[in-house]
Amino acid sequence: MLITPSSIPVLQGRGAAVLSWKEDELVLERRGETLAIPVGAVAHLRAEARCVTVELRALAGTTPSVQRIEDVSEAAAVVFVEAVNALLPDPVGEVDGGALVVVRSFARTRLQKFRRRLLGCVLGALGSVIGLFVALTATAEGSDAKGSAFVGGITGGLTVLLVGLCVLFWGASFHERRLRRHGLSVVAVRTDRPRVYRFTDSGGSTRYFSHLSAAPSEQVGYDPRDTSDVLVFRAPFARILDTSVAWLSLLAVFCTAPLTIWLVVEALG
């Protein structure tokens, strides 16, 4: 049976991974990112049971990069590999295939996930505090007790917000220090699209990310074990400011928390 580009099957793999052939390039979609592999970067494909391996071209003396998709249909894998290998052009010269791969990441960075979880925790704690002091105000006897419960609700909510602010700034500073010490540092260059920067990771793949800046380039760090975890390094002044805000928030907590406890006692007393 003659296989044409339009009839090449689409491979569905583990973890919602999808490998397909689109307009002279392989497109590997994984959770949080999409890899566009141009045909000129591919050395050959191999089908091994329910796994398809895409081996990229490499310079002499270097180890070729590979991309895999697992848990695909064995029959579809054989058809896909045979069809794509037949469409690959004859290699001309040496090419670093990994440098031609374009990676578009849609996954949240570790810092974004941290901020999202923190926001959920702060909102939950704030709702609990408000509910507690509304109940205290309703059951308190006397105007003084009701007033203490009302003010206690304000200081209690303020304490929660201050704790969240402290954790937010310390968490961001800790994450940046971790990437500076254990991550890889590269220079990202602004693209023609507004707020979009690109850099090349250690595997030679081009990666894109969004950042609100007008600078032509930015120094970024990323985790080599999770290349979607990208962070633009800040100036020393910004890091000092974050640490100062965290300490001031913590000191304020030491003032508002005892006051809140005292007001609760007054409302109950």
Side-chain angles (χ1 to χ4, degrees), residues 76-190:
V78 172
V79 174
F80 186 92
V81 168
E82 290 180 352
V84 174
N85 279 335
L87 294 173
L88 295 179
D90 294 331
V92 178
E94 293 186 353
V95 173
D96 182 5
L100 301 178
V101 177
V102 176
V103 182
R104 291 178 174 83
S105 178
F106 309 101
R108 291 190 179 93
T109 65
R110 187 171 299 184
L111 186 58
Q112 290 172 330
K113 293 176 183 177
F114 165 74
R115 288 171 175 167
R116 190 180 183 88
R117 287 194 296 266
L118 179 61
L119 178 61
C121 291
V122 168
L123 291 178
L126 193 60
S128 300
V129 168
I130 292 174
L132 172 63
F133 281 94
V134 166
L136 271 178
T137 303
T139 57
E141 297 180 357
S143 59
D144 290 344
K146 288 184 181 294
S148 296
F150 177 77
V151 176
I154 296 175
T155 59
L158 181 59
T159 300
V160 170
L161 292 176
L162 287 170
V163 170
L165 196 63
C166 179
V167 174
L168 173 65
F169 282 96
W170 257 332
S173 297
F174 174 79
H175 182 61
E176 183 167 350
R177 285 197 302 270
R178 185 186 68 83
L179 283 182
R180 284 181 179 274
R181 291 179 182 178
H182 307 292
L184 298 179
S185 177
V186 295
V187 175
V189 181
R190 189 177 63 187

Side-chain angles (χ1 to χ4, degrees), residues 24 66-68 75 89-90 105 120 127 147 153 164 206 213 229 238 262 264:
D24 292 336
V66 297
Q67 298 291 340
R68 291 186 177 88
D90 294 331
S105 178
T206 302
S213 174
D229 186 21
W262 180 78
V264 170

Side-chain angles (χ1 to χ4, degrees), residues 12-263:
Q12 306 279 345
R14 180 190 303 169
V18 177
L19 180 63
S20 58
W21 174 270
K22 297 179 181 178
E23 299 179 359
D24 292 336
E25 68 178 11
L26 289 169
V27 178
L28 177 57
E29 300 171 72
R30 295 190 290 224
R31 188 170 285 122
E33 66 178 14
T34 298
L35 282 71
I37 309 172
V39 65
V42 181
H44 61 269
L45 281 71
R46 296 193 307 272
E48 303 166 343
R50 299 186 62 191
C51 174
V52 170
T53 301
V54 180
E55 183 173 314
L56 304 181
R57 296 175 62 186
L59 301 176
T62 62
T63 303
S65 301
V66 297
Q67 298 291 340
R68 291 186 177 88
I69 181 171
E70 300 177 338
D71 286 348
V72 299
S73 164
E74 191 168 350
V78 172
V79 174
F80 186 92
V81 168
E82 290 180 352
V84 174
N85 279 335
L87 294 173
L88 295 179
D90 294 331
V92 178
E94 293 186 353
V95 173
D96 182 5
L100 301 178
V101 177
V102 176
V103 182
R104 291 178 174 83
S105 178
F106 309 101
R108 291 190 179 93
T109 65
R110 187 171 299 184
L111 186 58
Q112 290 172 330
K113 293 176 183 177
F114 165 74
R115 288 171 175 167
R116 190 180 183 88
R117 287 194 296 266
L118 179 61
L119 178 61
C121 291
V122 168
L123 291 178
L126 193 60
S128 300
V129 168
I130 292 174
L132 172 63
F133 281 94
V134 166
L136 271 178
T137 303
T139 57
E141 297 180 357
S143 59
D144 290 344
K146 288 184 181 294
S148 296
F150 177 77
V151 176
I154 296 175
T155 59
L158 181 59
T159 300
V160 170
L161 292 176
L162 287 170
V163 170
L165 196 63
C166 179
V167 174
L168 173 65
F169 282 96
W170 257 332
S173 297
F174 174 79
H175 182 61
E176 183 167 350
R177 285 197 302 270
R178 185 186 68 83
L179 283 182
R180 284 181 179 274
R181 291 179 182 178
H182 307 292
L184 298 179
S185 177
V186 295
V187 175
V189 181
R190 189 177 63 187
T191 66
D192 295 335
R193 297 166 57 192
R195 298 186 301 173
V196 177
Y197 287 75
R198 72 171 185 270
F199 69 96
T200 303
D201 64 19
S202 57
S205 299
T206 302
R207 293 185 173 270
Y208 292 79
F209 68 96
S210 298
H211 178 61
L212 185 59
S213 174
S217 63
E218 293 281 2
Q219 185 182 9
V220 302
Y222 69 94
D223 188 339
R225 297 168 300 180
D226 180 11
T227 46
S228 65
D229 186 21
V230 183
L231 181 70
V232 176
F233 291 143
R234 298 168 301 163
F237 172 77
R239 300 199 300 272
I240 294 172
L241 183 61
D242 275 9
T243 304
S244 301
V245 171
W247 275 110
L248 289 174
S249 300
L250 183 61
L251 291 174
V253 167
F254 285 125
C255 296
T256 58
L259 178 60
T260 301
I261 295 174
W262 180 78
L263 289 169

